Amino acid sequence: LTLALAQLHGSRVGLTLNPGVVQGGSVVNTVPDLAMLQFNVRLSNPEDMPWLLDQLDALEAPFAHRAGFQLV
């Protein structure tokens, strides 16, 4: 997901997308109870917002069925 988000950066004029913070777990080789990815988005053209939301929905779709997955 992080790499897919990063690939959106620059795909529209004035769109910057930066996966900034990834958090999860406290020990190696263990699935954490909670993992978070925070990213920043800037659009110079507000008319690109519907396109961006569609892209985020498409990235979320493969994970949406998993318990606890949420894109906010």
Side-chain angles (χ1 to χ4, degrees):
L1 184 58
T2 304
L3 294 175
L5 284 169
Q7 290 175 350
L8 288 175
H9 176 82
S11 57
R12 290 276 211 235
V13 174
L15 168 63
T16 60
L17 194 148
N18 174 37
V21 178
V22 178
Q23 294 177 311
S26 58
V27 297
V28 298
N29 203 26
T30 302
V31 176
D33 291 336
L34 176 67
M36 294 188 335
L37 165 63
Q38 296 175 336
F39 58 95
N40 298 311
V41 177
R42 290 185 184 88
L43 289 169
S44 63
N45 184 357
E47 294 174 0
D48 286 335
M49 182 60 80
W51 174 86
L52 177 61
L53 293 175
D54 287 344
Q55 299 304 305
L56 295 175
D57 286 344
L59 291 176
E60 179 184 21
F63 303 99
H65 70 282
R66 297 182 184 186
F69 182 87
Q70 185 177 10
L71 184 61
V72 180

